[in-house]
Amino acid sequence: MREFILKASKAFTKMFRLNDLPGAGRMDLVCRCVTNALWLSHALRRDIIFHAALEGPDRPPKILSFDGEKLVGVSLDERNIASNICIALEKGYNLRSNEEIELPSGIKIAKKSFEQLVKEKSKTTQLFYLHPKGKDIRKVEFTQNVCFILGDHLGLPSATEKLLKRFNAQKISLGKIEYLASNCVAICNYELDRILELS
Amino acid sequence: MREFILKASKAFTKMFRLNDLPGAGRMDLVCRCVTNALWLSHALRRDIIFHAALEGPDRPPKILSFDGEKLVGVSLDERNIASNICIALEKGYNLRSNEEIELPSGIKIAKKSFEQLVKEKSKTTQLFYLHPKGKDIRKVEFTQNVCFILGDHLGLPSATEKLLKRFNAQKISLGKIEYLASNCVAICNYELDRILELS
């Protein structure tokens, strides 16, 4: 299983206007990451789960999970993904701690924090996060279950890095250039695809 | 110089509704390619030009060119890019053959065909197109000026492939998986960045 966790530190946890996704705490960025994690040309990646940890106003924290195996009727354009997120946020607005619901679209929403999710994943999964000083992704030995952790436009704060180190997350690098979070997702997928093709 | 040409065979050449980009001949796909070609985290790639050859109704053909050196006031979300495209299509609606205009955003619109653009580029630039049976991108020797040619959701028809061969375009491959056009753009950028880092 391949998973991604995006720490979306400003992304709204209430309904938002579909005509202004950047104004909803950079929901546009969240949507692009979903697209790049899950869609191939004419197919969904069935072996990938993408999680967005939304930490913006006004009911944080919330985890949205998009499982490529379960998604139904969601298109890959920003507006469509955003409209599905909006429905999830409405339905999950009043969830209590650790409660979760699954929508007809297959999207899950949970009242859970980024820290809780990372802790859960650390038990079964090899954790990675991107850092300019990390080990070159082409030299990393990946196991069967991997999870890539990404920051939004504000990056991962140092407190989060400390947390990730505590859970043995490895720092990896895509080179010297700092890419958009959504492109980091696309490139991690690509690098793993290349490794799997060779194995 | 690094350039991309997307053959957007259905993308509208008239104004369209910003709330339905997929319905405008998959304008969402065009916008995602623009984002992935030109944006880094907190920066524009100044050394890249992205061209979209729009061939849909009702005033084809049109070439939109986004030069990273010139763009002003354009954001990277699909809706913002689409709104800038819409303005360009309105201003350039009645252009005559080979006429072009540049908008305050830095976007250029020309009444020109995909074939004409490819022919022009072939004189100064190494042309590549993606094909599952192409040479592995990691084994290609790139020169200074490169141009990647991509198809939309319908791919490149065989007549186009013949045209590209006539202009000595080389077939290259990103592996066995067929990626979204926008992710092909992101991956080509990444592979070239890696090569440039080593050189």
Side-chain angles (χ1 to χ4, degrees):
Chain A
M1 178 60 71
R2 197 185 301 174
E3 295 183 72
F4 292 90
I5 302 174
L6 172 71
K7 188 175 188 291
S9 59
K10 303 291 178 195
F12 281 17
T13 47
K14 60 180 176 185
M15 289 183 75
F16 53 87
R17 288 179 54 232
L18 294 180
N19 289 356
D20 184 15
L21 303 184
R26 296 302 308 277
M27 198 60 78
D28 61 314
L29 183 158
V30 176
C31 295
R32 279 194 298 279
C33 287
V34 174
T35 302
N36 287 0
L38 292 171
W39 267 268
L40 294 171
S41 184
H42 309 290
L44 271 168
R45 288 181 181 265
R46 299 285 174 193
D47 56 342
I48 291 189
I49 304 176
F50 178 86
H51 309 274
L54 311 188
E55 302 182 334
D58 59 356
R59 281 289 192 281
K62 291 275 163 60
I63 305 286
L64 292 174
S65 299
F66 302 77
D67 182 339
E69 186 72 70
K70 293 183 178 169
L71 282 194
V72 177
V74 181
S75 306
L76 79 172
D77 58 300
E78 279 179 25
R79 189 179 175 91
N80 188 281
I81 292 173
S83 72
N84 279 286
I85 289 178
C86 219
I87 293 167
L89 291 176
E90 187 191 5
K91 301 283 181 197
Y93 190 72
N94 287 318
L95 284 176
R96 282 174 294 185
S97 279
N98 295 308
E99 275 185 344
E100 72 171 26
I101 46 176
E102 188 173 324
L103 292 132
S105 60
I107 299 170
K108 268 191 199 162
I109 180 164
K111 177 82 176 177
K112 190 189 285 185
S113 69
F114 171 79
E115 290 75 10
Q116 282 174 283
L117 181 62
V118 168
K119 189 178 175 183
E120 271 175 37
K121 293 297 159 197
S122 71
K123 292 172 187 161
T124 52
T125 306
Q126 200 184 9
L127 302 181
F128 299 95
Y129 69 102
L130 295 174
H131 190 285
K133 292 188 180 158
K135 187 174 182 178
D136 182 356
I137 191 168
R138 293 187 180 174
K139 291 176 182 155
V140 175
E141 298 245 349
F142 292 100
T143 57
Q144 192 73 18
N145 294 315
V146 298
C147 180
F148 297 97
I149 295 157
L150 304 134
D152 57 10
H153 58 299
L154 301 175
L156 291 172
S158 59
T160 302
E161 273 204 60
K162 276 184 198 154
L163 172 96
L164 293 175
K165 277 179 198 159
R166 215 163 60 232
F167 289 115
N168 293 319
Q170 293 177 49
K171 269 198 280 204
I172 58 169
S173 159
L174 305 178
K176 286 180 191 152
I177 292 178
E178 274 199 60
Y179 296 99
L180 296 177
S182 53
N183 283 348
C184 290
V185 171
I187 294 166
C188 287
N189 263 337
Y190 168 69
E191 286 285 1
L192 259 77
D193 294 340
R194 299 278 310 212
I195 291 167
L196 291 175
E197 266 182 29
L198 292 176
S199 66
Chain B
M1 180 59 73
R2 197 185 299 173
E3 295 183 73
F4 292 90
I5 302 174
L6 172 72
K7 189 176 188 294
S9 60
K10 302 291 178 194
F12 281 17
T13 46
K14 60 180 176 184
M15 289 182 73
F16 52 86
R17 289 179 55 234
L18 294 179
N19 290 354
D20 183 15
L21 302 184
R26 294 304 309 276
M27 197 60 79
D28 60 314
L29 183 158
V30 176
C31 296
R32 278 194 297 279
C33 287
V34 174
T35 303
N36 287 0
L38 292 171
W39 267 267
L40 293 172
S41 182
H42 308 291
L44 271 167
R45 288 180 181 266
R46 300 285 172 189
D47 57 341
I48 291 189
I49 304 176
F50 177 87
H51 309 274
L54 312 188
E55 302 181 334
D58 60 358
R59 282 287 193 281
K62 290 276 163 61
I63 304 287
L64 292 174
S65 299
F66 302 79
D67 181 340
E69 187 72 70
K70 293 183 177 167
L71 282 194
V72 178
V74 181
S75 306
L76 78 173
D77 58 298
E78 277 178 27
R79 188 179 177 90
N80 187 282
I81 292 173
S83 72
N84 279 286
I85 290 177
C86 218
I87 292 167
L89 291 175
E90 188 192 4
K91 300 284 182 196
Y93 190 70
N94 287 318
L95 284 177
R96 283 174 294 186
S97 279
N98 294 310
E99 276 185 343
E100 72 170 24
I101 45 175
E102 188 173 322
L103 291 131
S105 60
I107 299 170
K108 270 192 197 159
I109 180 163
K111 178 83 177 177
K112 191 189 283 183
S113 69
F114 170 80
E115 289 74 10
Q116 282 173 282
L117 181 64
V118 167
K119 190 177 175 183
E120 272 175 35
K121 293 296 158 197
S122 70
K123 291 171 189 162
T124 53
T125 306
Q126 200 184 10
L127 302 180
F128 299 95
Y129 69 101
L130 295 174
H131 191 285
K133 289 187 181 160
K135 186 172 180 180
D136 182 355
I137 190 169
R138 294 188 179 173
K139 291 176 182 155
V140 176
E141 298 246 351
F142 291 99
T143 58
Q144 192 73 18
N145 294 316
V146 298
C147 180
F148 297 97
I149 295 156
L150 303 136
D152 58 8
H153 58 299
L154 302 175
L156 291 173
S158 58
T160 302
E161 272 203 62
K162 275 183 199 154
L163 173 96
L164 293 175
K165 276 180 199 158
R166 214 160 63 232
F167 290 115
N168 294 318
Q170 293 176 49
K171 270 198 281 204
I172 59 170
S173 158
L174 304 178
K176 286 179 191 151
I177 291 178
E178 274 198 60
Y179 296 100
L180 296 177
S182 53
N183 282 348
C184 291
V185 171
I187 294 166
C188 288
N189 264 337
Y190 167 70
E191 286 286 0
L192 258 78
D193 294 339
R194 300 279 310 211
I195 291 168
L196 290 175
E197 267 182 28
L198 292 177
S199 66

mmCIF file of all heavy atoms in Angstrom, chain B residues 17-48:
data_model
loop_
_atom_site.group_PDB
_atom_site.id
_atom_site.type_symbol
_atom_site.label_atom_id
_atom_site.label_comp_id
_atom_site.label_asym_id
_atom_site.label_seq_id
_atom_site.Cartn_x
_atom_site.Cartn_y
_atom_site.Cartn_z
ATOM 1 N N ARG B 17 -17.503 28.812 -19.683
ATOM 2 C CA ARG B 17 -17.939 28.992 -18.289
ATOM 3 C C ARG B 17 -16.839 28.501 -17.346
ATOM 4 O O ARG B 17 -16.393 27.353 -17.441
ATOM 5 C CB ARG B 17 -19.229 28.199 -18.026
ATOM 6 C CG ARG B 17 -20.457 28.793 -18.720
ATOM 7 C CD ARG B 17 -21.683 27.959 -18.441
ATOM 8 N NE ARG B 17 -21.877 27.805 -17.002
ATOM 9 C CZ ARG B 17 -22.012 26.643 -16.363
ATOM 10 N NH1 ARG B 17 -22.008 25.506 -17.043
ATOM 11 N NH2 ARG B 17 -22.157 26.607 -15.057
ATOM 12 N N LEU B 18 -16.442 29.385 -16.433
ATOM 13 C CA LEU B 18 -15.385 29.008 -15.482
ATOM 14 C C LEU B 18 -15.827 27.911 -14.523
ATOM 15 O O LEU B 18 -15.002 27.255 -13.890
ATOM 16 C CB LEU B 18 -14.922 30.235 -14.692
ATOM 17 C CG LEU B 18 -14.222 31.321 -15.508
ATOM 18 C CD1 LEU B 18 -13.844 32.491 -14.616
ATOM 19 C CD2 LEU B 18 -12.985 30.758 -16.202
ATOM 20 N N ASN B 19 -17.146 27.730 -14.405
ATOM 21 C CA ASN B 19 -17.650 26.688 -13.499
ATOM 22 C C ASN B 19 -17.707 25.311 -14.151
ATOM 23 O O ASN B 19 -18.116 24.343 -13.506
ATOM 24 C CB ASN B 19 -19.050 27.064 -12.991
ATOM 25 C CG ASN B 19 -18.987 28.230 -12.030
ATOM 26 O OD1 ASN B 19 -17.898 28.675 -11.667
ATOM 27 N ND2 ASN B 19 -20.146 28.719 -11.605
ATOM 28 N N ASP B 20 -17.341 25.222 -15.410
ATOM 29 C CA ASP B 20 -17.345 23.904 -16.067
ATOM 30 C C ASP B 20 -16.167 23.801 -17.033
ATOM 31 O O ASP B 20 -16.333 23.815 -18.254
ATOM 32 C CB ASP B 20 -18.674 23.670 -16.801
ATOM 33 C CG ASP B 20 -18.730 22.279 -17.416
ATOM 34 O OD1 ASP B 20 -17.902 21.415 -17.038
ATOM 35 O OD2 ASP B 20 -19.592 22.051 -18.302
ATOM 36 N N LEU B 21 -14.979 23.683 -16.470
ATOM 37 C CA LEU B 21 -13.781 23.593 -17.316
ATOM 38 C C LEU B 21 -13.719 22.279 -18.086
ATOM 39 O O LEU B 21 -13.344 22.275 -19.266
ATOM 40 C CB LEU B 21 -12.516 23.782 -16.459
ATOM 41 C CG LEU B 21 -12.446 25.105 -15.674
ATOM 42 C CD1 LEU B 21 -11.110 25.224 -14.957
ATOM 43 C CD2 LEU B 21 -12.674 26.292 -16.575
ATOM 44 N N PRO B 22 -14.105 21.140 -17.486
ATOM 45 C CA PRO B 22 -14.093 19.907 -18.282
ATOM 46 C C PRO B 22 -15.014 20.015 -19.501
ATOM 47 O O PRO B 22 -14.698 19.509 -20.582
ATOM 48 C CB PRO B 22 -14.596 18.838 -17.295
ATOM 49 C CG PRO B 22 -14.226 19.380 -15.942
ATOM 50 C CD PRO B 22 -14.418 20.869 -16.057
ATOM 51 N N GLY B 23 -16.130 20.738 -19.335
ATOM 52 C CA GLY B 23 -17.095 20.892 -20.430
ATOM 53 C C GLY B 23 -16.625 21.822 -21.537
ATOM 54 O O GLY B 23 -17.251 21.897 -22.597
ATOM 55 N N ALA B 24 -15.533 22.542 -21.300
ATOM 56 C CA ALA B 24 -14.990 23.435 -22.336
ATOM 57 C C ALA B 24 -13.882 22.724 -23.105
ATOM 58 O O ALA B 24 -12.827 23.286 -23.399
ATOM 59 C CB ALA B 24 -14.463 24.718 -21.686
ATOM 60 N N GLY B 25 -14.119 21.446 -23.413
ATOM 61 C CA GLY B 25 -13.134 20.670 -24.187
ATOM 62 C C GLY B 25 -11.925 20.292 -23.357
ATOM 63 O O GLY B 25 -10.817 20.235 -23.865
ATOM 64 N N ARG B 26 -12.191 20.031 -22.077
ATOM 65 C CA ARG B 26 -11.148 19.650 -21.115
ATOM 66 C C ARG B 26 -10.138 20.785 -20.884
ATOM 67 O O ARG B 26 -8.911 20.571 -20.867
ATOM 68 C CB ARG B 26 -10.423 18.359 -21.548
ATOM 69 C CG ARG B 26 -11.305 17.130 -21.547
ATOM 70 C CD ARG B 26 -11.972 16.865 -20.171
ATOM 71 N NE ARG B 26 -11.053 16.851 -19.056
ATOM 72 C CZ ARG B 26 -10.347 15.787 -18.702
ATOM 73 N NH1 ARG B 26 -10.485 14.652 -19.333
ATOM 74 N NH2 ARG B 26 -9.526 15.848 -17.666
ATOM 75 N N MET B 27 -10.710 21.984 -20.674
ATOM 76 C CA MET B 27 -9.839 23.122 -20.346
ATOM 77 C C MET B 27 -9.147 22.906 -18.995
ATOM 78 O O MET B 27 -8.071 23.455 -18.738
ATOM 79 C CB MET B 27 -10.664 24.410 -20.340
ATOM 80 C CG MET B 27 -9.874 25.677 -20.425
ATOM 81 S SD MET B 27 -8.859 25.802 -21.925
ATOM 82 C CE MET B 27 -10.081 26.288 -23.164
ATOM 83 N N ASP B 28 -9.762 22.088 -18.112
ATOM 84 C CA ASP B 28 -9.121 21.771 -16.814
ATOM 85 C C ASP B 28 -7.738 21.145 -17.043
ATOM 86 O O ASP B 28 -6.769 21.470 -16.365
ATOM 87 C CB ASP B 28 -10.018 20.838 -15.975
ATOM 88 C CG ASP B 28 -10.311 19.509 -16.649
ATOM 89 O OD1 ASP B 28 -10.656 19.492 -17.861
ATOM 90 O OD2 ASP B 28 -10.177 18.461 -15.987
ATOM 91 N N LEU B 29 -7.686 20.242 -18.015
ATOM 92 C CA LEU B 29 -6.420 19.566 -18.343
ATOM 93 C C LEU B 29 -5.380 20.590 -18.827
ATOM 94 O O LEU B 29 -4.216 20.557 -18.399
ATOM 95 C CB LEU B 29 -6.737 18.516 -19.417
ATOM 96 C CG LEU B 29 -5.672 17.589 -19.940
ATOM 97 C CD1 LEU B 29 -6.327 16.344 -20.545
ATOM 98 C CD2 LEU B 29 -4.774 18.225 -20.983
ATOM 99 N N VAL B 30 -5.818 21.508 -19.677
ATOM 100 C CA VAL B 30 -4.901 22.548 -20.169
ATOM 101 C C VAL B 30 -4.340 23.339 -18.982
ATOM 102 O O VAL B 30 -3.123 23.555 -18.880
ATOM 103 C CB VAL B 30 -5.628 23.504 -21.150
ATOM 104 C CG1 VAL B 30 -4.706 24.648 -21.581
ATOM 105 C CG2 VAL B 30 -6.144 22.744 -22.364
ATOM 106 N N CYS B 31 -5.235 23.745 -18.073
ATOM 107 C CA CYS B 31 -4.807 24.571 -16.929
ATOM 108 C C CYS B 31 -3.823 23.815 -16.035
ATOM 109 O O CYS B 31 -2.835 24.382 -15.568
ATOM 110 C CB CYS B 31 -6.024 24.992 -16.101
ATOM 111 S SG CYS B 31 -7.161 26.044 -17.010
ATOM 112 N N ARG B 32 -4.085 22.544 -15.785
ATOM 113 C CA ARG B 32 -3.169 21.758 -14.936
ATOM 114 C C ARG B 32 -1.786 21.638 -15.578
ATOM 115 O O ARG B 32 -0.772 21.659 -14.886
ATOM 116 C CB ARG B 32 -3.740 20.360 -14.675
ATOM 117 C CG ARG B 32 -4.767 20.301 -13.568
ATOM 118 C CD ARG B 32 -5.019 18.864 -13.134
ATOM 119 N NE ARG B 32 -5.567 18.053 -14.205
ATOM 120 C CZ ARG B 32 -6.851 18.041 -14.561
ATOM 121 N NH1 ARG B 32 -7.725 18.795 -13.937
ATOM 122 N NH2 ARG B 32 -7.273 17.272 -15.541
ATOM 123 N N CYS B 33 -1.769 21.501 -16.900
ATOM 124 C CA CYS B 33 -0.468 21.428 -17.594
ATOM 125 C C CYS B 33 0.288 22.744 -17.438
ATOM 126 O O CYS B 33 1.512 22.739 -17.232
ATOM 127 C CB CYS B 33 -0.668 21.108 -19.076
ATOM 128 S SG CYS B 33 -1.156 19.409 -19.396
ATOM 129 N N VAL B 34 -0.415 23.866 -17.541
ATOM 130 C CA VAL B 34 0.233 25.174 -17.368
ATOM 131 C C VAL B 34 0.869 25.241 -15.973
ATOM 132 O O VAL B 34 2.039 25.606 -15.820
ATOM 133 C CB VAL B 34 -0.787 26.331 -17.541
ATOM 134 C CG1 VAL B 34 -0.142 27.680 -17.213
ATOM 135 C CG2 VAL B 34 -1.352 26.345 -18.959
ATOM 136 N N THR B 35 0.087 24.886 -14.957
ATOM 137 C CA THR B 35 0.593 24.920 -13.575
ATOM 138 C C THR B 35 1.848 24.064 -13.436
ATOM 139 O O THR B 35 2.873 24.514 -12.899
ATOM 140 C CB THR B 35 -0.476 24.386 -12.599
ATOM 141 O OG1 THR B 35 -1.656 25.168 -12.745
ATOM 142 C CG2 THR B 35 -0.003 24.467 -11.156
ATOM 143 N N ASN B 36 1.770 22.833 -13.900
ATOM 144 C CA ASN B 36 2.895 21.912 -13.694
ATOM 145 C C ASN B 36 4.117 22.276 -14.537
ATOM 146 O O ASN B 36 5.238 21.939 -14.178
ATOM 147 C CB ASN B 36 2.452 20.475 -13.973
ATOM 148 C CG ASN B 36 1.567 19.936 -12.867
ATOM 149 O OD1 ASN B 36 1.289 20.637 -11.884
ATOM 150 N ND2 ASN B 36 1.111 18.704 -13.000
ATOM 151 N N ALA B 37 3.890 22.973 -15.633
ATOM 152 C CA ALA B 37 5.029 23.390 -16.456
ATOM 153 C C ALA B 37 5.778 24.552 -15.809
ATOM 154 O O ALA B 37 7.007 24.597 -15.851
ATOM 155 C CB ALA B 37 4.550 23.808 -17.850
ATOM 156 N N LEU B 38 5.042 25.481 -15.198
ATOM 157 C CA LEU B 38 5.646 26.783 -14.869
ATOM 158 C C LEU B 38 5.862 27.073 -13.400
ATOM 159 O O LEU B 38 6.672 27.927 -13.057
ATOM 160 C CB LEU B 38 4.791 27.897 -15.477
ATOM 161 C CG LEU B 38 4.825 27.950 -17.004
ATOM 162 C CD1 LEU B 38 3.784 28.922 -17.533
ATOM 163 C CD2 LEU B 38 6.198 28.373 -17.492
ATOM 164 N N TRP B 39 5.122 26.407 -12.524
ATOM 165 C CA TRP B 39 5.235 26.794 -11.122
ATOM 166 C C TRP B 39 6.119 25.866 -10.300
ATOM 167 O O TRP B 39 6.028 24.638 -10.389
ATOM 168 C CB TRP B 39 3.859 26.861 -10.456
ATOM 169 C CG TRP B 39 3.268 28.242 -10.504
ATOM 170 C CD1 TRP B 39 3.370 29.211 -9.550
ATOM 171 C CD2 TRP B 39 2.468 28.810 -11.547
ATOM 172 N NE1 TRP B 39 2.692 30.345 -9.945
ATOM 173 C CE2 TRP B 39 2.139 30.129 -11.163
ATOM 174 C CE3 TRP B 39 2.013 28.338 -12.782
ATOM 175 C CZ2 TRP B 39 1.373 30.978 -11.958
ATOM 176 C CZ3 TRP B 39 1.245 29.177 -13.579
ATOM 177 C CH2 TRP B 39 0.938 30.479 -13.163
ATOM 178 N N LEU B 40 6.976 26.504 -9.496
ATOM 179 C CA LEU B 40 7.677 25.811 -8.418
ATOM 180 C C LEU B 40 7.052 26.296 -7.113
ATOM 181 O O LEU B 40 6.167 27.146 -7.116
ATOM 182 C CB LEU B 40 9.164 26.167 -8.449
ATOM 183 C CG LEU B 40 9.931 25.664 -9.659
ATOM 184 C CD1 LEU B 40 11.334 26.248 -9.680
ATOM 185 C CD2 LEU B 40 10.003 24.130 -9.643
ATOM 186 N N SER B 41 7.546 25.773 -5.996
ATOM 187 C CA SER B 41 7.065 26.253 -4.706
ATOM 188 C C SER B 41 7.530 27.707 -4.563
ATOM 189 O O SER B 41 8.732 27.971 -4.536
ATOM 190 C CB SER B 41 7.674 25.360 -3.621
ATOM 191 O OG SER B 41 7.213 25.734 -2.365
ATOM 192 N N HIS B 42 6.593 28.625 -4.532
ATOM 193 C CA HIS B 42 6.892 30.066 -4.340
ATOM 194 C C HIS B 42 7.718 30.699 -5.460
ATOM 195 O O HIS B 42 8.393 31.695 -5.231
ATOM 196 C CB HIS B 42 7.617 30.312 -3.003
ATOM 197 C CG HIS B 42 6.906 29.702 -1.844
ATOM 198 N ND1 HIS B 42 5.701 30.168 -1.394
ATOM 199 C CD2 HIS B 42 7.206 28.627 -1.068
ATOM 200 C CE1 HIS B 42 5.300 29.430 -0.368
ATOM 201 N NE2 HIS B 42 6.176 28.474 -0.160
ATOM 202 N N ALA B 43 7.715 30.127 -6.643
ATOM 203 C CA ALA B 43 8.465 30.747 -7.746
ATOM 204 C C ALA B 43 7.935 30.271 -9.092
ATOM 205 O O ALA B 43 7.332 29.192 -9.195
ATOM 206 C CB ALA B 43 9.946 30.395 -7.639
ATOM 207 N N LEU B 44 8.162 31.111 -10.098
ATOM 208 C CA LEU B 44 7.860 30.703 -11.465
ATOM 209 C C LEU B 44 9.146 30.219 -12.117
ATOM 210 O O LEU B 44 10.233 30.729 -11.823
ATOM 211 C CB LEU B 44 7.337 31.897 -12.264
ATOM 212 C CG LEU B 44 5.839 32.155 -12.234
ATOM 213 C CD1 LEU B 44 5.536 33.531 -12.807
ATOM 214 C CD2 LEU B 44 5.094 31.085 -13.033
ATOM 215 N N ARG B 45 9.038 29.270 -12.988
ATOM 216 C CA ARG B 45 10.200 28.843 -13.775
ATOM 217 C C ARG B 45 10.361 29.841 -14.922
ATOM 218 O O ARG B 45 9.543 29.859 -15.844
ATOM 219 C CB ARG B 45 9.959 27.452 -14.360
ATOM 220 C CG ARG B 45 10.002 26.322 -13.346
ATOM 221 C CD ARG B 45 9.748 25.026 -14.098
ATOM 222 N NE ARG B 45 9.733 23.839 -13.273
ATOM 223 C CZ ARG B 45 10.790 23.051 -13.064
ATOM 224 N NH1 ARG B 45 11.961 23.348 -13.599
ATOM 225 N NH2 ARG B 45 10.673 21.964 -12.329
ATOM 226 N N ARG B 46 11.412 30.617 -14.860
ATOM 227 C CA ARG B 46 11.615 31.699 -15.830
ATOM 228 C C ARG B 46 12.137 31.196 -17.166
ATOM 229 O O ARG B 46 12.166 31.936 -18.150
ATOM 230 C CB ARG B 46 12.589 32.730 -15.253
ATOM 231 C CG ARG B 46 12.112 33.376 -13.962
ATOM 232 C CD ARG B 46 11.023 34.391 -14.225
ATOM 233 N NE ARG B 46 10.411 34.906 -13.008
ATOM 234 C CZ ARG B 46 9.329 35.661 -12.981
ATOM 235 N NH1 ARG B 46 8.696 35.960 -14.103
ATOM 236 N NH2 ARG B 46 8.834 36.107 -11.853
ATOM 237 N N ASP B 47 12.595 29.961 -17.195
ATOM 238 C CA ASP B 47 13.249 29.442 -18.406
ATOM 239 C C ASP B 47 12.360 28.472 -19.183
ATOM 240 O O ASP B 47 12.851 27.653 -19.956
ATOM 241 C CB ASP B 47 14.556 28.739 -18.012
ATOM 242 C CG ASP B 47 14.300 27.630 -16.994
ATOM 243 O OD1 ASP B 47 13.227 27.651 -16.340
ATOM 244 O OD2 ASP B 47 15.161 26.744 -16.860
ATOM 245 N N ILE B 48 11.053 28.579 -18.958
ATOM 246 C CA ILE B 48 10.143 27.635 -19.629
ATOM 247 C C ILE B 48 9.022 28.391 -20.334
ATOM 248 O O ILE B 48 8.496 29.374 -19.820
ATOM 249 C CB ILE B 48 9.551 26.635 -18.605
ATOM 250 C CG1 ILE B 48 10.659 25.699 -18.105
ATOM 251 C CG2 ILE B 48 8.386 25.846 -19.206
ATOM 252 C CD1 ILE B 48 10.183 24.552 -17.262
#
